[in-house]
Amino acid sequence: MTTTAPPPAPPFEFFLGAHHPAWLETADVPLCVSHRRLTGRRALPRARHRWFLDSGGFSELSLHGGWRQDARTYAAAVRRYHEEVGQLHAAAQQDWMCEWDVLRKTGKTLKQHLELTVANFVELRSLAPDLPIIPVIQGWTSVSYFQCVDMFDKVGVDLTKEPLVGVGSICRRPRLDLPVMLLADLARAGIRIHAFGFKKAGLKIAHKSVVSADSLAWSYGGRHERGCSESHQRENNCMRHALWWRQDLLDHITDAQRRCP
């Protein structure tokens, strides 16, 4: 009896989270920059490398209880970034996170967040089918994430045919068990995953399940690190520290790949 070898893991790409848009012009690595950092600027930087646009949804929902910009306004902003910044690899849709603190702030149910996420992507796709806006799977338990997948399918969005699909609400977990298993299950279902803000320890385990990921964790940790020069007291705004952190993450992943090819 012959057996079929499993498909090779997709190549992994990491987008370093950056809260200074000017880094797009100077950093020698792919970046992830939030829409909240770019919106309203008269002049935009010109990207040196391809980059990922985060919608800024967690801040928007946790601070304001909902999206203040409608889909048409957001689509127009993404188009401007695509044309003026250039090299836009992907842009997250305006999804609705499902952390309990966010649900309390919006006053909506988890099911409503899933429905709103799906509806927003459908609207964005109809408004700007030529832009690289990607759908995002939301949820809290494994069951709710796959409910979201089914909701996309029912409106005609086959996530297995999308070049990239985000998975949200996985970065603020006290335990890694569920998101690691979830990402593996979604990958086995044929979905090419971008993991939003996933922890370094989680990526060391789950890197074979995802196509790409991003994180700004270097900055949060840098608040407690003494500055590497006299020009700043802490490392939370230091590109040198950010690049060191990124390389350390990639080294961890490379080591994991060698141990478990």
Side-chain angles (χ1 to χ4, degrees):
M1 186 177 84
T2 59
T3 58
T4 302
F12 173 77
E13 185 168 21
F14 183 74
F15 292 84
L16 180 68
H19 48 287
H20 297 294
W23 284 20
L24 285 165
E25 292 184 322
T26 57
D28 283 321
V29 299
L31 300 180
C32 178
V33 180
S34 173
H35 168 59
R36 290 172 58 85
R37 294 287 178 172
L38 293 169
T39 186
R41 287 175 173 260
R42 288 186 178 181
L44 292 170
R46 191 70 183 172
R48 185 183 182 94
H49 290 276
R50 66 183 193 157
W51 62 289
F52 197 106
L53 177 70
D54 184 88
S55 64
F58 182 81
S59 296
E60 190 73 7
L61 270 60
S62 60
L63 291 174
H64 306 289
W67 284 95
R68 293 172 299 165
Q69 289 187 334
D70 60 18
R72 186 174 296 277
T73 303
Y74 182 67
V78 175
R79 186 171 300 283
R80 183 185 178 214
Y81 306 148
H82 179 68
E83 295 174 353
E84 296 184 27
V85 180
Q87 302 207 58
L88 179 60
H89 172 65
Q93 66 155 112
Q94 294 170 288
D95 54 324
W96 289 68
M97 292 78 232
C98 293
E99 288 91 342
W100 294 116
D101 287 345
V102 177
L103 291 173
R104 282 193 288 269
K105 183 69 175 182
T106 66
K108 300 181 185 300
T109 66
L110 188 148
K111 183 181 178 183
Q112 287 174 317
H113 276 222
L114 303 187
E115 292 170 341
L116 288 166
T117 295
V118 173
N120 172 261
F121 179 73
V122 171
E123 186 175 4
L124 287 171
R125 175 61 59 87
S126 68
L127 288 169
D130 59 313
L131 294 178
I133 299 174
I134 67 167
V136 178
I137 304 170
Q138 278 293 349
W140 190 248
T141 63
S142 291
V143 171
S144 58
Y145 279 100
F146 277 94
Q147 285 177 338
C148 190
V149 173
D150 290 339
M151 289 179 181
F152 272 111
D153 188 62
K154 288 178 180 177
V155 296
V157 179
D158 182 350
L159 296 181
T160 66
K161 294 182 179 178
E162 295 292 323
L164 195 62
V165 178
V167 178
S169 301
I170 58 173
C171 66
R172 296 173 180 83
R173 302 276 183 160
R175 293 171 58 91
L176 292 173
D177 311 46
L178 186 144
V180 167
M181 290 188 291
L182 169 70
L183 294 174
D185 288 342
L186 290 170
R188 279 192 290 268
I191 298 173
R192 294 172 55 83
I193 298 165
H194 178 88
F196 284 108
F198 202 34
K199 295 177 180 178
K200 181 185 290 188
L203 285 175
K204 186 176 178 180
I205 304 169
H207 62 90
K208 289 185 178 181
S209 300
V210 305
V211 173
S212 59
D214 69 85
S215 179
L216 193 62
W218 66 268
S219 182
Y220 297 123
R223 296 173 182 174
H224 308 290
E225 298 283 344
R226 176 181 287 184
C228 61
S229 70
E230 295 181 358
S231 62
H232 55 268
Q233 294 183 336
R234 294 290 180 263
E235 295 286 75
N236 54 307
N237 292 301
C238 176
M239 184 186 293
R240 184 163 68 175
H241 175 73
L243 294 174
W244 170 87
W245 186 95
R246 173 186 179 273
Q247 189 58 54
D248 183 64
L249 180 147
L250 295 177
D251 289 345
H252 274 79
I253 292 175
T254 300
D255 182 62
Q257 290 171 334
R258 288 172 180 166
R259 291 170 184 267
C260 302

